[in-house]
Amino acid sequence: MHLQAKDYLQRIQQFSVPQRVRILNVCGGHERSITHAGLRSLLPKAIELVPGPGCPVCVCPEVDIRLALALALHEGVLLAAFGDMLRVPINAESGEIRSLAQAKAQGAAIVPLASPQEAVALARQHPHRQVVFFAAGFETTMAPVAAMLAEGVPDNLAVLLSGRLTWPAVARLLDTQASAFDALIAPGHVATVMGAREWNFVSEQYQIACAVAGFTPDSLLAAVYSVLRQRLSQPPRCFVDNCYARAVSESGNLQAQRCLDQVFEVIDSQWRGIGVLPASGFALRPAYQAHDARLIFATQQRAIAQAAPQDMPPGCACAEVLLGQRYPDQCPLYGRRCTPHTPVGPCMVSDEGACQIWWASGQHAA
Amino acid sequence: MCLAIPMQVVEIDGYNARCEAKGISRDVSLFLLQGEPIIPGDHVIVHVGYAIQKISAEEARSAWELYDAIL
């Protein structure tokens, strides 16, 4: 029997929820569906759905954006990036260029793209130019980037890789503020690639309820129902439930995982607003170093890293929003100085950013 | 950015597949599904131009009914 959103809602409402239950999500797509469908207002008050570090563009370190800007502005590079990276602002003096979109408006060669294959096509169209593909993303997106490199790319195409693994950020949140969360809704398309089993540590190590969800209200409410049931059973019985079985298997897409492992090694990485997380990012393996923009432009990267740029803009609460410590409308800038039209922090820019999602759905009261 | 949509495979040439959804046609790479038998008519979940999972026709249809409601 296929249950629908209203069936799950009914079941959720039948629970007696004695105290606050905070359910973390780590996927911008989940947050968008939750917010746009208005799920929070349909759930009992004690149940909180908390957006966390679910936006790869938001956690992309400022040094990487500065390097991309420098390459496009000063090194004659043709820079390609996923579209939602273009408007992400860095801290810059007023009057200085603050985003790739501004650099593009001033004539820098910057191309938004929707697929790694477009980067390959761009490099073929411009055989005499150095093309750099600035690639931020989680595992779901990194697998296609790895596939692109594994399949072979033109000599003039390099990758400025800013990929991240999602689970280390969840592990950090649970290590440092375990009591803040009672359950996790695990990201559906990350799990499609990496397998539901990647999230077993959540229930096994932290005794936190977990369910993998898809992106529809049905699947998200099934996950909410599942984690509540896990949490409220006596004694609590935590495991990783799969509420997105149409796409997610226990072990995931093994070919994609082999491809990731063949092309990338896993390294310690900086997350904007969060800090360095061990084994949480990707770097190109030596066999692909001819296409590694960080090696080709090592001098520029060193210079930018030494200038030690700031992390989040002053007054901006994006860091706390990414850590699940504040809701977007609890930021003093939300809706005042910071709107999608005049973004201060990255969470107000990306389609995956919690602030942008809340604002776009009409939650304007700060 | 992890948004992925179900599409139907129309034509296959090596790792490249012509896929359709909602009247829109796209070139999709099957590189991440190599080893998986895929023929025209099959359904796949597509993210940034790459098929990341094969799904049944029924699953694709119910996914689209739901996506139509939220997109």
Side-chain angles (χ1 to χ4, degrees):
Chain A
M1 185 180 62
H2 180 66
L3 295 181
Q4 294 189 329
K6 62 176 179 355
D7 306 312
Y8 287 116
L9 265 179
Q10 239 171 28
R11 291 180 177 207
I12 290 167
Q13 279 151 358
Q14 281 162 8
F15 279 123
S16 121
V17 186
Q19 55 195 21
R20 195 173 71 150
V21 178
R22 281 169 54 89
I23 305 171
L24 177 68
N25 77 69
V26 290
C27 172
H30 281 164
E31 183 54 30
R32 189 166 47 227
S33 292
I34 288 167
T35 303
H36 287 190
L39 298 189
R40 286 191 179 85
S41 64
L42 302 174
L43 295 172
K45 276 217 155 34
I47 300 169
E48 288 190 38
L49 303 182
V50 185
C55 168
V57 161
C58 304
V59 300
C60 179
E62 201 178 283
V63 283
D64 288 1
I65 303 173
R66 283 181 185 264
L67 179 57
L69 275 170
L71 297 185
L73 286 167
H74 308 305
E75 304 296 335
V77 154
L78 180 50
L79 189 95
F82 288 119
D84 61 350
M85 196 72 230
L86 263 57
R87 291 187 66 235
V88 174
I90 55 165
N91 292 290
E93 299 294 324
S94 89
E96 281 181 28
I97 289 175
R98 294 185 66 224
S99 67
L100 292 167
Q102 286 183 3
K104 181 174 164 60
Q106 297 207 3
I110 296 173
V111 180
L113 46 75
S115 166
Q117 291 175 310
E118 292 175 29
V120 173
L122 193 67
R124 290 207 176 108
Q125 279 162 21
H126 301 275
H128 303 298
R129 292 194 74 173
Q130 174 70 61
V131 176
V132 172
F133 174 25
F134 179 23
F138 290 139
E139 296 92 326
T140 324
T141 312
M142 286 300 110
V145 174
M148 174 194 83
L149 286 159
E151 235 183 321
V153 298
D155 290 345
N156 63 324
L157 177 59
V159 178
L160 172 54
L161 195 67
S162 197
R164 297 289 180 273
L165 290 123
T166 42
W167 74 263
V170 172
R172 165 63 64 91
L173 260 59
L174 298 181
D175 276 336
T176 53
Q177 35 179 344
S179 56
F181 305 106
D182 304 290
L184 171 75
I185 294 182
H189 288 140
V190 170
T192 301
V193 171
M194 304 303 285
R197 66 183 177 195
E198 191 180 43
W199 298 96
N200 287 346
F201 77 96
V202 172
S203 53
E204 287 169 4
Q205 285 178 38
Y206 299 94
Q207 287 74 51
I208 281 183
C210 183
V212 180
F215 299 84
T216 59
D218 295 44
S219 183
L220 283 160
L221 287 170
V224 169
Y225 170 67
S226 172
V227 296
L228 284 173
R229 220 174 114 142
Q230 295 176 41
R231 182 78 195 169
L232 298 172
S233 68
Q234 285 300 336
R237 197 177 134 263
C238 295
F239 61 99
V240 178
D241 201 357
N242 184 355
C243 301
Y244 191 32
R246 75 161 63 99
V248 176
S249 64
E250 188 59 16
S251 50
N253 180 335
L254 296 176
Q255 167 63 18
Q257 292 166 34
R258 277 193 293 271
C259 203
L260 280 167
D261 187 51
Q262 176 196 326
V263 179
F264 302 144
E265 56 187 323
V266 172
I267 57 165
D268 300 350
S269 290
Q270 171 82 29
W271 292 54
R272 193 176 187 183
I274 296 177
V276 174
L277 299 181
S280 69
F282 295 102
L284 273 67
R285 287 196 185 276
Y288 299 89
Q289 65 187 16
H291 299 287
D292 191 342
R294 294 188 190 279
L295 296 178
I296 299 169
F297 299 102
T299 317
Q300 292 85 340
Q301 173 163 271
R302 257 195 311 278
I304 287 165
Q306 275 166 5
Q310 298 172 45
D311 202 27
M312 290 297 180
C316 163
C318 273
E320 288 98 328
V321 170
L322 288 166
L323 291 165
Q325 293 170 346
R326 275 204 223 189
Y327 289 107
D329 60 1
Q330 292 172 330
C331 172
L333 303 185
Y334 180 83
R336 296 191 175 92
R337 268 178 57 210
C338 187
T339 66
H341 188 59
T342 56
V344 176
C347 301
M348 190 54 99
V349 177
S350 169
D351 287 345
E352 309 255 282
C355 300
Q356 195 278 347
I357 291 165
W358 281 41
W359 187 265
S361 78
Q363 286 186 239
H364 292 182
Chain B
M1 221 151 96
C2 292
L3 183 68
I5 55 165
M7 298 188 89
Q8 183 171 29
V9 177
V10 181
E11 268 176 44
I12 299 176
D13 176 15
Y15 290 134
N16 296 319
R18 197 73 192 158
C19 292
E20 282 182 4
K22 314 298 283 178
I24 293 168
S25 184
R26 288 272 183 281
D27 286 325
V28 169
S29 169
L30 301 177
F31 192 83
L32 293 172
L33 292 181
Q34 52 186 289
E36 187 118 10
I38 294 181
I39 54 168
D42 281 348
H43 291 79
V44 289
I45 298 182
V46 177
H47 171 66
V48 296
Y50 285 74
I52 57 170
Q53 187 66 267
K54 184 177 165 180
I55 56 172
S56 72
E58 191 192 346
E59 287 162 346
R61 199 162 36 245
S62 69
W64 267 117
E65 281 167 18
L66 296 161
Y67 278 112
D68 281 345
I70 59 167
L71 289 179

